[in-house]
């Protein structure tokens, strides 16, 4: 399992440089960065991928779920984190796993847990949420556990996770459980401030419609801030299909595809740039929970994060990551141009939205994610083979794209010898830099890429992109 604490420090500091390889011809003046094709990567070879998969499966033996042998102590925390991560990846089926989940989940009733117990319980809830959506058998097995948490747990965080699972499907008793939580609110809201906010977001989100009624066309005409590029990401409401993208430069012009050198006819030059992204959470968690699907709303884009080496190739692929910030998140240079730092109030955030969207709950998700302490959102590639994630088989429309744990992921394809064949991260990086360069005067100093990423759930992402393309060709 990746060392997430080390990875966070590494990526925030932006240490290192992109590895050497064959030049892709994407030189970014003034940024001292060149996007290069990778050399053969040993971790991408078929032999190494099979070894890595076998390493994960080695954790998945019945004896490793024995809580008498592996109690929930600091000495065994790494054991449980490895096991639960492998469980999410490979989704094994045996009675010992069921027994372990049913033994750990009742910790949610305990008023005082150690930090180790809290971390293992949260990861167990995330995996249980994933398995709950897996099949009727698992749903029947886990429903009583979630119902007990909703009824008896004194912790708003665990209640929020349980009620999210019970409300995630067409459960005939869904409203019963929501009402039960509401009757317990006076006691539950005495807990940690962030956990209280999480429960409040959960209940509000369960009460909101899946899609806003407002027309998406208002976003197509909108510019968050003059001179700043905008990457629009349209996703399906349940993230079971690919997200589709469109890009505007700082002048509000749609960015076209780069035409082939031998095909510069007018139609090719007027075709709009777009690549698909995966927005699915590995666990299937809703946007307000950690390791969830990427929240809707506005993100500040500030530059790229180079991969210093291939230590985290499996999680993030070879290429630089697109660096995103939500409101309230420290480290952003200027969430709004001309205004140092982040933004702190909902009113400030709402001014970034089209007028009719300022009261739409869905468009505020990134704001509330930041308010609840979420951070480190990215657009990144994926180095894992798609068969590494067993539950990908349940999402045929996403074939070829891997899930993530909060970010948007782009495709990277390698052959059995570890050679890069094709992928979308280089296209994204090139297009963003091209849009940035189109915004500034030729005499202006070249600066790092800045702008906004706007994530929106729509009924049919492909239809939105196709509509914009057709209108653009006619204009």
């Amino acid at each position: 399992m990746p060392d997430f604490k080390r990875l966070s420090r590494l990526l925030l500091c932006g240490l290192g440089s992109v590895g050497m390889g064959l030049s892709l011809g994407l030189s970014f003046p003034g940024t001292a960065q060149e996007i290069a094709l990778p050399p053969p990567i040993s971790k991408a070879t078929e032999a190494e991928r099979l070894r890595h998969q076998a390493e994960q499966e080695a954790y998945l033996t019945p004896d490793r779920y024995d809580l008498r042998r592996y109690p929930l102590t600091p000495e065994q925390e790494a054991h449980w984190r490895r096991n639960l991560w492998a469980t999410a990846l490979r989704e094994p089926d045996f009675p010992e796993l069921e027994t372990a989940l049913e033994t750990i989940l009742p910790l949610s009733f305990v008023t005082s847990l150690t930090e180790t117990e809290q971390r293992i319980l949260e990861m167990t809830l995330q995996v249980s949420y994933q398995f709950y959506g897996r099949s009727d058998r698992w749903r029947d097995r886990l429903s009583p556990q979630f119902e007990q948490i909703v009824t008896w747990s004194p912790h708003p965080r665990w209640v929020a996770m349980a009620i999210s699972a019970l409300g995630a499907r067409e459960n005939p008793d869904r409203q019963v459980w929501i009402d039960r939580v509401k009757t317990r609110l006076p006691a539950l809201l005495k807990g940690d401030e962030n956990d209280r906010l999480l429960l409040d977001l959960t209940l509000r989100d369960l009460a909101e419609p899946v899609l806003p009624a407002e027309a998406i066309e208002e976003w197509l005409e909108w510019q968050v801030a003059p001179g700043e590029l905008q990457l629009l990401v349209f996703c399906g409401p349940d993230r079971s299909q690919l997200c589709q993208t469109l890009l505007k430069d700082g002048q509000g012009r749609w960015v076209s595809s780069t035409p082939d050198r031998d095909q510069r006819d007018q139609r090719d030059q007027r075709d709009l740039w777009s690549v698909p992204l995966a927005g699915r959470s590995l666990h299937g968690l809703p946007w307000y929970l950690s390791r969830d699907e990427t929240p809707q709303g506005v993100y500040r884009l500030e530059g790229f994060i180079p991969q210093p080496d291939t230590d985290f190739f499996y999680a993030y692929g070879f290429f630089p990551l697109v660096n995103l910030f939500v409101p309230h998140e420290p480290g952003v240079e200027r969430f709004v141009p001309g205004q140092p730092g982040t933004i702190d109030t909902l009113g400030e955030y709402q001014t970034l939205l089209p007028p009719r969207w300022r009261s739409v709950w869905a468009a505020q998700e990134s704001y509330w994610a930041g308010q609840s302490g979420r951070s480190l959102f990215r657009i990144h590639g994926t180095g894992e083979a798609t068969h590494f994630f067993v539950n990908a088989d349940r999402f045929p429309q996403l074939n070829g794209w891997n899930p993530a744990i909060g970010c948007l992921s782009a495709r990277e394809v390698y052959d059995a010898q570890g050679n890069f064949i094709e992928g979308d991260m280089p296209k994204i990086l090139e297009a963003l830099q091209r849009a940035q360069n189109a915004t500034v005067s030729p005499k202006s100093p070249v600066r790092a890429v800045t702008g906004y990423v706007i994530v929106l759930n729509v009924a049919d992402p492909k239809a939105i992109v196709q509509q914009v393309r057709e209108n653009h060709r006619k204009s």
Side-chain angles (χ1 to χ4, degrees):
M1 185 176 68
D3 181 343
F4 293 110
K5 289 184 178 179
R6 179 185 162 227
L7 180 59
S8 297
R9 292 194 301 269
L10 179 69
L11 295 182
L12 284 174
C13 294
L15 302 176
S17 58
V18 178
M20 296 300 293
L22 300 174
S23 173
L24 192 61
L26 306 180
S27 180
F28 297 167
T31 64
Q33 186 179 66
E34 180 176 297
I35 307 304
L37 290 176
I41 296 177
S42 61
K43 290 185 176 182
T45 63
E46 182 177 7
E48 184 59 22
R49 281 178 162 169
L50 290 173
R51 185 207 64 77
H52 182 51
Q53 180 175 317
E55 178 182 70
Q56 297 300 316
E57 292 176 342
Y59 296 126
L60 303 178
T61 58
D63 62 293
R64 293 183 66 84
Y65 293 92
D66 187 342
L67 278 94
R68 292 169 299 181
R69 185 174 178 181
Y70 302 102
L72 306 185
T73 61
E75 294 76 18
Q76 299 298 337
E77 181 174 348
H79 165 90
W80 282 104
R81 289 172 67 83
R82 282 193 296 265
N83 264 35
L84 290 167
W85 178 246
T87 301
L89 296 173
R90 306 301 299 165
E91 293 193 350
D93 272 313
F94 38 77
E96 291 79 4
L97 166 60
E98 297 177 11
T99 300
L101 296 180
E102 292 173 344
T103 304
I104 296 173
L105 289 175
L107 287 177
S108 60
F109 309 141
V110 178
T111 56
S112 181
L113 296 175
T114 68
E115 291 186 2
T116 290
E117 290 170 334
Q118 291 180 51
R119 287 190 289 267
I120 295 175
L121 174 58
E122 176 144 5
M123 201 168 182
T124 300
L125 277 161
Q126 291 165 343
V127 172
S128 298
Y129 191 109
Q130 176 180 337
F131 273 58
Y132 181 82
R134 180 181 170 190
S135 66
D136 290 340
R137 184 182 77 80
W138 274 103
R139 191 154 48 253
D140 291 342
R141 188 74 188 242
L142 290 168
S143 285
Q145 300 291 324
F146 290 137
E147 292 170 4
Q148 289 291 312
I149 293 172
V150 166
T151 304
W152 301 110
S153 175
H155 300 283
R157 185 171 195 83
W158 315 137
V159 172
M161 297 182 76
I163 193 64
S164 294
L166 294 173
R169 290 178 171 267
E170 294 302 322
N171 186 341
D173 298 322
R174 178 176 182 266
Q175 192 59 47
V176 172
W177 298 111
I178 293 174
D179 292 341
R180 183 162 299 184
V181 173
K182 290 181 177 179
T183 63
R184 301 186 60 218
L185 282 179
L188 290 170
L189 296 182
K190 294 178 182 178
D192 176 82
E193 181 180 354
N194 277 350
D195 289 350
R196 296 199 310 267
L197 175 60
L198 175 61
L199 181 56
D200 181 66
L201 295 176
T202 303
L203 292 174
R204 182 170 179 184
D205 195 73
L206 290 173
E208 292 287 335
V210 174
L211 289 173
E214 284 76 3
I216 200 71
E217 283 78 7
E218 196 167 357
W219 274 108
L220 302 178
E221 300 296 329
W222 182 249
Q223 188 169 15
V224 175
E228 298 288 333
L229 63 83
Q230 294 182 171
L231 177 65
L232 291 99
V233 183
F234 301 107
C235 300
D238 62 359
R239 304 294 171 93
S240 63
Q241 56 185 302
L242 287 170
C243 303
Q244 305 293 325
T245 58
L246 288 168
L247 179 60
K248 279 187 173 183
D249 65 23
Q251 303 302 317
R253 301 169 299 198
W254 294 112
V255 173
S256 298
S257 300
T258 303
D260 295 335
R261 291 174 181 173
D262 297 331
Q263 297 180 349
R264 294 185 178 272
D265 62 58
Q266 186 176 5
R267 185 184 63 181
D268 286 333
Q269 292 186 48
R270 295 177 69 82
D271 192 21
L272 298 187
W273 177 92
S274 182
V275 299
L277 295 170
R280 181 172 74 86
S281 156
L282 170 63
H283 304 302
L285 295 164
W287 66 270
Y288 45 83
L289 297 175
S290 181
R291 297 170 76 166
D292 54 2
E293 64 184 32
T294 306
Q296 298 181 79
V298 175
Y299 296 77
R300 179 62 171 166
L301 189 166
E302 287 192 352
F304 309 142
I305 304 171
Q307 287 277 48
D309 48 43
T310 59
D311 284 358
F312 299 100
F313 169 76
Y314 287 136
Y316 298 107
F318 172 80
F319 299 96
L321 293 73
V322 178
N323 192 21
L324 307 181
F325 290 90
V326 290
H328 308 282
E329 184 176 354
V332 65
E333 186 174 343
R334 289 180 178 83
F335 203 99
V336 177
Q339 177 181 315
T342 187
I343 55 176
D344 297 313
T345 69
L346 180 59
E348 289 177 293
Y349 176 81
Q350 288 172 312
T351 63
L352 307 178
L353 311 179
R356 286 200 297 159
W357 283 76
R358 289 171 186 172
S359 60
V360 175
W361 172 250
Q364 298 175 15
E365 290 178 4
S366 63
Y367 173 85
W368 291 111
Q371 176 71 28
S372 63
R374 301 291 307 284
S375 61
L376 304 179
F377 291 97
R378 309 283 185 250
I379 301 174
H380 61 72
T382 54
E384 298 281 14
T386 51
H387 59 71
F388 189 68
F389 301 90
V390 168
N391 70 4
D393 292 342
R394 297 200 292 274
F395 302 93
Q397 293 188 66
L398 293 171
N399 183 36
W401 278 258
N402 286 336
I405 51 174
C407 297
L408 296 164
S409 62
R411 183 184 57 152
E412 287 184 33
V413 182
Y414 296 82
D415 65 17
Q417 290 72 46
N419 296 299
F420 176 78
I421 300 176
E422 61 176 325
D424 294 321
M425 275 311 299
K427 301 174 186 176
I428 294 169
L429 299 169
E430 185 274 338
L432 290 173
Q433 185 64 53
R434 188 154 49 91
Q436 176 78 49
N437 293 345
T439 299
V440 300
S441 164
K443 296 181 180 180
S444 301
V446 177
R447 53 187 172 89
V449 173
T450 64
Y452 295 93
V453 171
I454 301 159
V455 180
L456 297 169
N457 288 351
V458 297
D460 190 342
K462 285 186 176 179
I464 295 293
V465 173
Q466 185 60 30
Q467 174 191 338
V468 175
R469 279 179 160 163
E470 289 176 359
N471 292 341
H472 184 69
R473 287 169 180 162
K474 294 175 182 176
S475 62

